[in-house]
Amino acid sequence: MGNSMEVENAEYPLISEAENQNKAIVRTLYEAMASGDTRKAAGIIGGDLEWWFHGPQKCHHMMNMLTGKSSAAAAEDFKFEPRSVDAIGGERVVVEGWEGAQAYWVHVWTVKDGVITQFREYFNTWLIVKELRGVRSSKSTVWRSHPRDIAKRTLPGLVLAIDG
């Protein structure tokens, strides 16, 4: 390890301090949502958040939570409980979770200067994320989902390229 601020990880060889901070910010968001602390959540998310959704229309759970469209009863029906949180490409944090056999989700957050500026949500699809670091660069990072029933592969696949 060249830099003492970097952490060795089996899937992602070097995680910088900035990436660890971004992961902590995203984890704080999930904790705030789980506890109903909307003020804390609003302080983490930029006012002009860019939002993108891929999945069934009935699965806009995160949008409903963050915009306040979700009633208390609906929020109790679906809770986002991250199963993995990975930093890729400096500003990106990929969070994955599943709730039983019917709900599998991946969130890709972009964090700039301690504020979440972009959110991409993928619901009920297998996902592979490939980070591209310039045309001439040979270094790239691949993030693969960690679903429980990978042998069944009943959900549609999706490859997401994130341009670094």
Side-chain angles (χ1 to χ4, degrees):
M1 274 195 280
N3 183 339
S4 64
M5 299 294 278
E6 297 171 335
V7 176
E8 189 72 26
N9 180 307
E11 284 191 46
Y12 306 103
L14 299 175
I15 304 290
S16 71
E17 183 63 28
E19 288 172 319
N20 282 328
Q21 289 172 352
N22 290 343
K23 285 171 59 173
I25 288 166
V26 170
R27 281 189 180 113
T28 299
L29 175 66
Y30 285 97
E31 291 165 6
M33 290 186 311
S35 68
D37 190 345
T38 56
R39 186 168 287 182
K40 182 181 261 186
I44 296 171
I45 298 173
D48 58 347
L49 178 70
E50 180 184 330
W51 199 307
W52 191 87
F53 177 81
H54 174 81
Q57 290 300 313
K58 66 180 181 175
C59 296
H60 283 277
H61 303 294
M62 181 62 76
M63 181 187 306
N64 292 338
M65 289 177 79
L66 293 178
T67 60
K69 291 181 182 178
S70 229
S71 68
E76 291 297 318
D77 289 342
F78 193 90
K79 292 186 181 193
F80 287 100
E81 296 178 11
R83 309 298 178 137
S84 70
V85 179
D86 299 303
I88 63 168
E91 297 178 335
R92 306 285 187 323
V93 177
V94 180
V95 182
E96 175 183 37
W98 53 86
E99 314 307 322
Q102 300 303 313
Y104 172 74
W105 52 269
V106 174
H107 294 157
V108 181
W109 303 92
T110 301
V111 183
K112 293 183 181 179
D113 300 321
V115 176
I116 294 172
T117 59
Q118 185 182 74
F119 173 58
R120 294 179 182 258
E121 182 171 26
Y122 304 90
F123 216 95
N124 285 350
T125 188
W126 296 108
L127 187 69
I128 297 173
V129 177
K130 181 168 181 74
E131 176 191 359
L132 307 172
R133 293 187 188 230
V135 177
R136 295 180 184 211
S137 174
S138 63
K139 183 175 181 175
S140 65
T141 302
V142 176
W143 177 91
R144 294 184 187 268
S145 56
H146 310 283
R148 294 174 303 145
D149 58 350
I150 198 162
K152 294 179 187 175
R153 292 217 176 234
T154 57
L155 298 173
L158 179 68
V159 175
L160 173 66
I162 296 178
D163 192 8

mmCIF file of all heavy atoms in Angstrom, residues 30-47:
data_model
loop_
_atom_site.group_PDB
_atom_site.id
_atom_site.type_symbol
_atom_site.label_atom_id
_atom_site.label_comp_id
_atom_site.label_asym_id
_atom_site.label_seq_id
_atom_site.Cartn_x
_atom_site.Cartn_y
_atom_site.Cartn_z
ATOM 1 N N TYR A 30 -29.021 6.302 5.073
ATOM 2 C CA TYR A 30 -29.886 5.143 5.338
ATOM 3 C C TYR A 30 -30.295 5.092 6.814
ATOM 4 O O TYR A 30 -31.441 4.781 7.129
ATOM 5 C CB TYR A 30 -29.209 3.839 4.914
ATOM 6 C CG TYR A 30 -29.188 3.652 3.422
ATOM 7 C CD1 TYR A 30 -28.077 3.992 2.672
ATOM 8 C CD2 TYR A 30 -30.295 3.148 2.744
ATOM 9 C CE1 TYR A 30 -28.055 3.833 1.299
ATOM 10 C CE2 TYR A 30 -30.288 2.989 1.370
ATOM 11 C CZ TYR A 30 -29.164 3.338 0.654
ATOM 12 O OH TYR A 30 -29.154 3.190 -0.707
ATOM 13 N N GLU A 31 -29.370 5.416 7.701
ATOM 14 C CA GLU A 31 -29.694 5.434 9.132
ATOM 15 C C GLU A 31 -30.737 6.509 9.441
ATOM 16 O O GLU A 31 -31.666 6.281 10.217
ATOM 17 C CB GLU A 31 -28.429 5.665 9.957
ATOM 18 C CG GLU A 31 -27.473 4.494 9.923
ATOM 19 C CD GLU A 31 -26.074 4.831 10.429
ATOM 20 O OE1 GLU A 31 -25.854 5.970 10.925
ATOM 21 O OE2 GLU A 31 -25.192 3.958 10.323
ATOM 22 N N ALA A 32 -30.579 7.674 8.818
ATOM 23 C CA ALA A 32 -31.545 8.767 9.029
ATOM 24 C C ALA A 32 -32.926 8.363 8.524
ATOM 25 O O ALA A 32 -33.939 8.628 9.184
ATOM 26 C CB ALA A 32 -31.062 10.038 8.323
ATOM 27 N N MET A 33 -32.980 7.722 7.363
ATOM 28 C CA MET A 33 -34.279 7.290 6.826
ATOM 29 C C MET A 33 -34.905 6.227 7.720
ATOM 30 O O MET A 33 -36.107 6.256 7.965
ATOM 31 C CB MET A 33 -34.112 6.759 5.397
ATOM 32 C CG MET A 33 -33.794 7.856 4.403
ATOM 33 S SD MET A 33 -33.747 7.294 2.684
ATOM 34 C CE MET A 33 -32.720 5.862 2.748
ATOM 35 N N ALA A 34 -34.099 5.303 8.215
ATOM 36 C CA ALA A 34 -34.621 4.231 9.062
ATOM 37 C C ALA A 34 -35.184 4.772 10.372
ATOM 38 O O ALA A 34 -36.165 4.252 10.894
ATOM 39 C CB ALA A 34 -33.530 3.206 9.344
ATOM 40 N N SER A 35 -34.582 5.849 10.876
ATOM 41 C CA SER A 35 -35.041 6.421 12.141
ATOM 42 C C SER A 35 -36.085 7.518 11.951
ATOM 43 O O SER A 35 -36.587 8.072 12.926
ATOM 44 C CB SER A 35 -33.854 6.968 12.933
ATOM 45 O OG SER A 35 -33.305 8.097 12.279
ATOM 46 N N GLY A 36 -36.395 7.859 10.688
ATOM 47 C CA GLY A 36 -37.381 8.899 10.417
ATOM 48 C C GLY A 36 -36.834 10.314 10.572
ATOM 49 O O GLY A 36 -37.593 11.277 10.663
ATOM 50 N N ASP A 37 -35.523 10.470 10.596
ATOM 51 C CA ASP A 37 -34.895 11.778 10.762
ATOM 52 C C ASP A 37 -34.790 12.471 9.407
ATOM 53 O O ASP A 37 -33.742 12.482 8.765
ATOM 54 C CB ASP A 37 -33.522 11.613 11.406
ATOM 55 C CG ASP A 37 -32.895 12.929 11.830
ATOM 56 O OD1 ASP A 37 -33.378 14.003 11.391
ATOM 57 O OD2 ASP A 37 -31.924 12.884 12.602
ATOM 58 N N THR A 38 -35.890 13.060 8.958
ATOM 59 C CA THR A 38 -35.930 13.700 7.635
ATOM 60 C C THR A 38 -35.026 14.932 7.569
ATOM 61 O O THR A 38 -34.500 15.243 6.509
ATOM 62 C CB THR A 38 -37.368 14.094 7.264
ATOM 63 O OG1 THR A 38 -37.898 14.936 8.289
ATOM 64 C CG2 THR A 38 -38.246 12.863 7.103
ATOM 65 N N ARG A 39 -34.841 15.608 8.665
ATOM 66 C CA ARG A 39 -33.979 16.801 8.676
ATOM 67 C C ARG A 39 -32.530 16.410 8.376
ATOM 68 O O ARG A 39 -31.854 17.051 7.587
ATOM 69 C CB ARG A 39 -34.070 17.511 10.019
ATOM 70 C CG ARG A 39 -33.326 18.832 10.037
ATOM 71 C CD ARG A 39 -33.664 19.616 11.240
ATOM 72 N NE ARG A 39 -35.040 20.112 11.033
ATOM 73 C CZ ARG A 39 -35.686 20.883 11.871
ATOM 74 N NH1 ARG A 39 -35.120 21.237 12.983
ATOM 75 N NH2 ARG A 39 -36.892 21.292 11.620
ATOM 76 N N LYS A 40 -32.071 15.331 9.004
ATOM 77 C CA LYS A 40 -30.705 14.859 8.751
ATOM 78 C C LYS A 40 -30.563 14.395 7.298
ATOM 79 O O LYS A 40 -29.588 14.713 6.634
ATOM 80 C CB LYS A 40 -30.333 13.724 9.699
ATOM 81 C CG LYS A 40 -28.901 13.233 9.513
ATOM 82 C CD LYS A 40 -28.573 12.094 10.451
ATOM 83 C CE LYS A 40 -27.828 12.659 11.635
ATOM 84 N NZ LYS A 40 -27.339 11.602 12.536
ATOM 85 N N ALA A 41 -31.549 13.647 6.808
ATOM 86 C CA ALA A 41 -31.516 13.166 5.426
ATOM 87 C C ALA A 41 -31.476 14.338 4.451
ATOM 88 O O ALA A 41 -30.702 14.336 3.494
ATOM 89 C CB ALA A 41 -32.719 12.273 5.141
ATOM 90 N N ALA A 42 -32.284 15.354 4.689
ATOM 91 C CA ALA A 42 -32.327 16.523 3.803
ATOM 92 C C ALA A 42 -31.002 17.271 3.805
ATOM 93 O O ALA A 42 -30.614 17.843 2.781
ATOM 94 C CB ALA A 42 -33.458 17.453 4.228
ATOM 95 N N GLY A 43 -30.276 17.247 4.914
ATOM 96 C CA GLY A 43 -28.989 17.917 4.999
ATOM 97 C C GLY A 43 -27.880 17.215 4.223
ATOM 98 O O GLY A 43 -26.862 17.818 3.897
ATOM 99 N N ILE A 44 -28.086 15.953 3.916
ATOM 100 C CA ILE A 44 -27.089 15.165 3.199
ATOM 101 C C ILE A 44 -27.313 15.227 1.688
ATOM 102 O O ILE A 44 -26.382 15.092 0.906
ATOM 103 C CB ILE A 44 -27.146 13.693 3.670
ATOM 104 C CG1 ILE A 44 -26.767 13.602 5.154
ATOM 105 C CG2 ILE A 44 -26.251 12.801 2.840
ATOM 106 C CD1 ILE A 44 -27.009 12.240 5.753
ATOM 107 N N ILE A 45 -28.552 15.462 1.271
ATOM 108 C CA ILE A 45 -28.916 15.428 -0.148
ATOM 109 C C ILE A 45 -28.960 16.841 -0.717
ATOM 110 O O ILE A 45 -29.579 17.734 -0.140
ATOM 111 C CB ILE A 45 -30.289 14.750 -0.336
ATOM 112 C CG1 ILE A 45 -30.206 13.308 0.154
ATOM 113 C CG2 ILE A 45 -30.735 14.809 -1.783
ATOM 114 C CD1 ILE A 45 -31.530 12.602 0.171
ATOM 115 N N GLY A 46 -28.330 17.025 -1.872
ATOM 116 C CA GLY A 46 -28.334 18.323 -2.528
ATOM 117 C C GLY A 46 -29.736 18.704 -2.991
ATOM 118 O O GLY A 46 -30.546 17.844 -3.335
ATOM 119 N N GLY A 47 -30.027 19.994 -3.003
ATOM 120 C CA GLY A 47 -31.341 20.494 -3.397
ATOM 121 C C GLY A 47 -31.693 20.220 -4.849
ATOM 122 O O GLY A 47 -32.859 20.135 -5.211
#
